[in-house]
Amino acid sequence: MLEVLLCSLITILPDYLFRKYRQGKAWGKEITFFTMWYELRWGITACAMLSISLVTLIFYYHPSTTNAAPLFRTVSIMPEKSGRVQHVFVENHQKIKAGTAIFSMYDESQMAAIEQAEANIRQVEAEFSTAYAQLTVAKSNVEKARSAYMRSKNEYDRKKELSLKGNNIISESEVQKMADTVAINEAGLSASSANQVSAQAVIDNILPAKKASAIEVLDSAIVDEAKRTVYAHIDGELQQFALQPGDFVNPMIRSAGMIVPSSGEASGREAVQAGFNQLAANVIKVGTFAEITCLSKPFTIIPMKVDSVQSVIATGQVRTNETLLDVQERARPGTLTVRLVPLYEGGLDGVIPGTKCVANAYSYHHELIASGTLSTPETLYLHMVDAVGVVHAIILRMQALLLPVKVLVFSGH
């Protein structure tokens, strides 16, 4: 409407003034509602053509959207295992810090697992005492076997030497019998030494590994027991949190509540996400200036600039499934997602995350014009493009004034 009014000032109005003062035709006589088209046909035609061109020019180079909002994310509060709530340490809408305990659950089986793991460690420690005693016995048996072997070896050597001197002092059978005794004692020494090595291996390798395994089981049980208490991992505010002692929590069914971040990119207090028409893809670039007005902060125009432009359109995403994709099902065009940040610090103060906003983006060709690389017609055209952005700025301010009225009066609340 504003564009039509502006165009009529330089088309229909001059046509009417020409016919009134130059041709002497007056409104109500020659010019009436019935003869208006014939009498003012040139002005009306020019106004229609100029209005359509101006609207197209404005909406292409200075796109607008009502699909804008400061989006925020939520962090679900869920335990890793199901359980019944024992204690609740916080309340709904309470602001909490990272590391704050939210609620705890009781699980008798977990306490039993910890006690069993501790008992296994004590059992391994008792096996150490037994192993040391067995090692002492094994060492004693080695010394005993070595002593027997040395005695028999010395006796064999003595008798062997006497048998070699002749005179039938020592019989050959007696020497052989002594040799067998030496062999038996040597085998006994080897067996005792093997038993000592085995006992030492139990102390050095088997029992330490067994104890380490028992300690790992205990640590795992303690970690699982600590999971009975759920903590906050970010700073934020609790929402939809209504747990009470005795409630059963199952992470597979639903979360126990959610945390809305109080700061950072995820809080929705640093940027606004806007979805523009796909035709604006060649116009909106990083650094493009913009303005928004939001329902939660009425009658206020907030200057913004484009911080990033999403490189894909969400409606084009494809996921592999058992049915072939029919492009007809995606006939509705998606929007060009743009991230807007305040031009000045604190620009989004007072804007509630998630609120509905209206956004305008404005083409700005001053640097291109100042570069001197354009021809005169191109320079004039871009000057005109930048100038008509004022019309869209005026429209946005009118929307800012009428938005509360539209919502409160015409929304049918």
Side-chain angles (χ1 to χ4, degrees), residues 16-31:
Y16 169 74
L17 295 176
F18 173 80
R19 297 184 185 279
K20 178 177 176 62
Y21 296 104
R22 188 65 180 266
Q23 297 181 350
K25 297 179 180 180
W27 178 260
K29 294 182 179 180
E30 291 86 357
I31 304 177

Side-chain angles (χ1 to χ4, degrees), residues 340-352:
L340 305 175
V341 296
L343 192 60
Y344 304 106
E345 185 176 356
L348 291 179
D349 292 348
V351 177
I352 299 176

Side-chain angles (χ1 to χ4, degrees), residues 273-352:
Q273 283 69 35
F276 288 91
N277 190 290
Q278 294 182 29
L279 288 173
N282 292 326
V283 176
I284 298 179
K285 307 294 182 182
V286 175
T288 299
F289 294 107
E291 291 180 327
I292 64 170
T293 181
C294 300
L295 274 176
S296 60
K297 196 174 182 180
F299 310 115
T300 303
I301 301 296
I302 303 174
M304 310 285 285
K305 67 177 179 179
V306 176
D307 181 66
S308 63
V309 180
Q310 188 168 286
S311 59
V312 295
I313 304 297
T315 53
Q317 61 182 321
V318 177
R319 292 183 179 179
T320 304
N321 51 42
E322 296 180 355
T323 56
L324 291 175
L325 173 67
D326 188 347
V327 180
Q328 178 179 272
E329 297 178 356
R330 299 172 182 258
R332 181 181 179 183
T335 58
L336 180 71
T337 303
V338 175
R339 182 177 182 268
L340 305 175
V341 296
L343 192 60
Y344 304 106
E345 185 176 356
L348 291 179
D349 292 348
V351 177
I352 299 176

Side-chain angles (χ1 to χ4, degrees), residues 198-230:
S198 176
Q200 189 68 48
V202 169
I203 294 174
D204 294 340
N205 300 315
I206 298 177
L207 289 182
K210 191 174 181 180
K211 184 176 181 179
S213 177
I215 291 175
E216 288 181 1
V217 173
L218 176 61
D219 292 340
S220 177
I222 292 175
V223 170
D224 289 339
E225 194 276 335
K227 292 178 181 178
R228 296 188 306 133
T229 301
V230 178

Side-chain angles (χ1 to χ4, degrees), residues 176-207:
Q176 184 61 41
K177 182 179 179 180
M178 200 65 207
D180 294 340
T181 301
V182 171
I184 293 172
N185 290 338
E186 185 177 10
L189 176 61
S190 298
S192 298
S193 299
N195 289 336
Q196 180 181 349
V197 172
S198 176
Q200 189 68 48
V202 169
I203 294 174
D204 294 340
N205 300 315
I206 298 177
L207 289 182

